[in-house]
Amino acid sequence: MAAITAAETFSDASITILEKNKTVLNKVRISGGGRCNVTHKPSDLRFFIKNYPRGEKLLRKLLHNFDAQATVDWFEKRGVSLKTEVDGRMFPVSDSSHTIIECFLKTARKLNINIRTSTVVKSYSSNSENGFSVNLDNGESLQADKLLIATGGYPKLSSFDWISEHDIVTPQPSLFTFNTPNNYLLPLAGVSVQDVLVKINGTKYEWRGPLLITHWGFSGPAVLKLSAWGARDLAEKTYQFICKINWVPDLNEQQVREFLIGEKTKTPKQLITSHAKFGIPSRLWKAFADQAEVSEGSIWSEVSHKILNRMTELLTNSQFEVNGKTTFKEEFVTCGGVSLSDINYETLESLKTPGLFFAGEVLDVDGITGGFNFQNAWTTGYVVGKEIGK
Ligand SMILES: Cc1cc2nc3c(=O)[nH]c(=O)nc-3n(C[C@H](O)[C@H](O)[C@H](O)COP(=O)(O)OP(=O)(O)OC[C@H]3O[C@@H](n4cnc5c(N)ncnc54)[C@H](O)[C@@H]3O)c2cc1C
């Protein structure tokens, strides 16, 4: 995006992309399960930036230059239509990430952008007269007036050594599911609940949305979004904390208790375990009833208030011990990277090395799952492309 925008903005610039892999855009290829979740449905900027646990302030500025609607238009202009799914994620109509890759490659070819693959950058040096020397691992040294580093996120701090004149915020995973090894719900793996409220005990983090029970714990949008917001604090807790779940988030404890007590007169003869309430999946309801020690064959008129209190607690304030995390579908999204305090917020130029720019996930910016990380890459790439040839 940066190279194309620069080529379109500064027609006499000579632009080279250096890529260590055999092909460019490998993450695009595997993204979104091979479909590439290109961006998220355009919305008011105030709401859109709420999807960035880190980098909100920077993107509030930059999205004015290139937002989700601009992304949609950019691809449309180059022959790629995007479609929106019910949850707001946007994909190419073809449902194939190859469409996105082809679009970039075709445009780059047309603009005579030089792409050198299997080319590993080891280091760079700069001086005010000659610009940059970019040193490759094969010993070769290239000259450039300006340099953009868009190397993506690195999971290890040491991988940033070659840009270490900049402050680096230690990278941490920011998209993961919760492991709950002693969870009585694990046999229900595969059961999902459309709307729950998940909170992390002792923190401000909470998220409402769908939740999936897995073989090892909890996943689904509510958990993945919490993992992004809490990434740094949860790493500090070495992924050991209590998560609390309200399975009926529209109701509070008292309302749930009153409802359950009401069933004693409304449906006195009904078997408790076999008639799930509140739209809870029947297997999950049965697990709650077992956990509350509702005896098999028990009917509502017979159930004690003590048991109803236990059911109320389970439904509104279930507590699970989280011990560890699991990467979500091989998506190694990291938070951390080049500190935004070292960057000019208007241009993305380094405040320490004039002529050097940063874009994409290498910056300490990350979004929650749903297309926001690519939008960060497109936006910051575009902004650098508009600036770098000045
Ligand atoms: C499996 C997976 C699925 C994802 N799905 C989505 C999704 O659907 N939607 C979404 O918004 N986000 C998704 N993400 C996140 C998204 O892919 C990244 O946020 C985005 O690719 C970041 O773009 P970037 O250009 O900053 O970095 P990258 O896409 O990581 O590109 C950086 C490039 O720099 C190259 N490079 C690194 N170091 C050097 C070096 N020293 N010399 C030469 N080249 C170098 C790398 O090989 C790489 O090609 C996904 C991530 C993963 C891992």
Side-chain angles (χ1 to χ4, degrees):
M1 176 60 84
I4 287 170
T5 308
E8 287 175 346
T9 311
F10 308 102
S11 52
D12 49 2
S14 156
I15 298 164
T16 302
I17 295 175
L18 306 174
E19 166 58 57
K20 71 175 175 191
N21 286 325
K22 285 196 192 110
T23 50
V24 289
L25 298 167
N26 285 343
K27 266 205 195 164
V28 171
R29 185 171 49 76
I30 58 171
S31 67
R35 295 200 297 147
C36 188
N37 177 193
V38 178
T39 185
H40 201 88
K41 188 176 158 204
S43 62
D44 191 281
L45 181 66
R46 275 173 306 156
F47 300 118
F48 203 87
I49 54 168
K50 290 287 166 220
N51 296 290
Y52 292 92
R54 285 147 294 263
E56 177 185 328
K57 216 169 119 206
L58 177 75
L59 284 172
R60 186 181 303 141
K61 243 184 204 318
L62 300 185
L63 280 163
H64 282 296
N65 302 338
F66 196 82
D67 61 4
Q69 186 57 52
T71 302
V72 174
D73 297 343
W74 193 93
F75 281 107
E76 189 73 49
K77 198 172 145 199
R78 290 161 181 82
V80 177
S81 298
L82 304 183
K83 59 171 176 176
T84 313
E85 304 216 321
V86 277
D87 57 3
R89 292 179 303 158
M90 297 195 74
F91 293 88
V93 167
S94 66
D95 271 331
S96 168
S97 56
H98 287 287
T99 311
I100 302 297
I101 295 176
E102 262 317 299
C103 172
F104 279 120
L105 290 181
K106 206 169 115 193
T107 311
R109 271 194 297 268
K110 238 196 264 167
L111 292 163
N112 289 322
I113 293 168
N114 182 19
I115 300 180
R116 286 188 57 177
T117 53
S118 304
T119 303
V120 182
V121 176
K122 248 181 75 187
S123 63
Y124 64 86
S125 55
S126 74
N127 69 55
S128 48
E129 268 158 41
N130 303 325
F132 292 86
S133 295
V134 179
N135 309 309
L136 308 184
D137 71 339
N138 63 4
E140 200 182 337
S141 182
L142 308 171
Q143 299 305 306
D145 297 319
K146 302 282 178 77
L147 183 63
L148 162 64
I149 294 182
T151 42
Y154 293 127
K156 280 196 289 184
L157 184 60
S158 58
S159 309
F160 289 90
D161 283 352
W162 64 293
I163 39 180
S164 64
E165 82 267 23
H166 296 86
D167 282 341
I168 306 294
V169 179
T170 306
Q172 305 284 6
S174 101
L175 191 66
F176 50 86
T177 67
F178 298 169
N179 297 356
T180 55
N182 303 317
N183 181 352
Y184 66 95
L185 297 178
L186 294 186
L188 272 62
V191 169
S192 63
V193 185
Q194 273 321 300
D195 186 18
V196 304
L197 176 68
V198 188
K199 291 183 180 182
I200 293 170
N201 200 23
T203 73
K204 59 182 189 299
Y205 303 114
E206 57 175 59
W207 200 277
R208 193 170 160 172
L211 177 120
L212 172 70
I213 300 169
T214 68
H215 290 289
W216 58 90
F218 295 120
S219 179
V223 165
L224 294 169
K225 284 171 185 172
L226 270 180
S227 78
W229 281 100
R232 288 214 177 111
D233 291 340
L234 299 184
E236 231 168 72
K237 290 177 187 291
T238 59
Y239 308 104
Q240 296 185 15
F241 54 90
I242 303 287
C243 88
K244 295 178 170 184
I245 304 177
N246 182 345
W247 304 89
V248 277
D250 280 332
L251 302 180
N252 63 31
E253 193 185 315
Q254 196 186 336
Q255 289 166 319
V256 169
R257 185 178 294 109
E258 277 166 14
F259 178 92
L260 295 180
I261 292 170
E263 291 304 285
K264 284 169 84 66
T265 43
K266 260 205 317 217
T267 57
K269 298 270 177 286
Q270 200 179 63
L271 279 175
I272 297 175
T273 48
S274 51
H275 290 83
K277 308 286 174 187
F278 307 109
I280 294 210
S282 50
R283 288 177 65 205
L284 184 59
W285 177 262
K286 169 91 173 54
F288 289 152
D290 290 346
Q291 191 71 6
E293 296 176 7
V294 173
S295 42
E296 199 65 43
S298 186
I299 56 174
W300 283 100
S301 62
E302 293 167 1
V303 73
S304 69
H305 277 260
K306 195 170 155 199
I307 284 184
L308 290 186
N309 280 341
R310 276 196 217 134
M311 280 294 277
T312 305
E313 178 75 6
L314 288 167
L315 287 163
T316 58
N317 191 25
S318 279
Q319 303 206 9
F320 299 92
E321 220 172 285
V322 177
N323 191 349
K325 61 167 175 50
T326 301
T327 305
F328 175 68
K329 289 189 185 165
E330 308 305 309
E331 288 196 26
F332 302 100
V333 177
T334 51
C335 66
V338 175
S339 169
L340 301 185
S341 58
D342 280 356
I343 302 295
N344 177 329
Y345 270 42
E346 307 282 338
T347 61
L348 296 172
E349 187 168 7
S350 160
L351 295 175
K352 292 194 166 147
T353 311
L356 176 64
F357 293 76
F358 292 97
E361 210 179 302
V362 70
L363 288 166
D364 183 25
V365 175
D366 66 287
I368 58 175
T369 178
F372 298 103
N373 283 307
F374 274 137
Q375 186 57 53
N376 169 47
W378 312 142
T379 298
T380 51
Y382 180 87
V383 167
V384 171
K386 284 279 175 195
E387 288 292 331
I388 196 165
K390 281 184 181 168

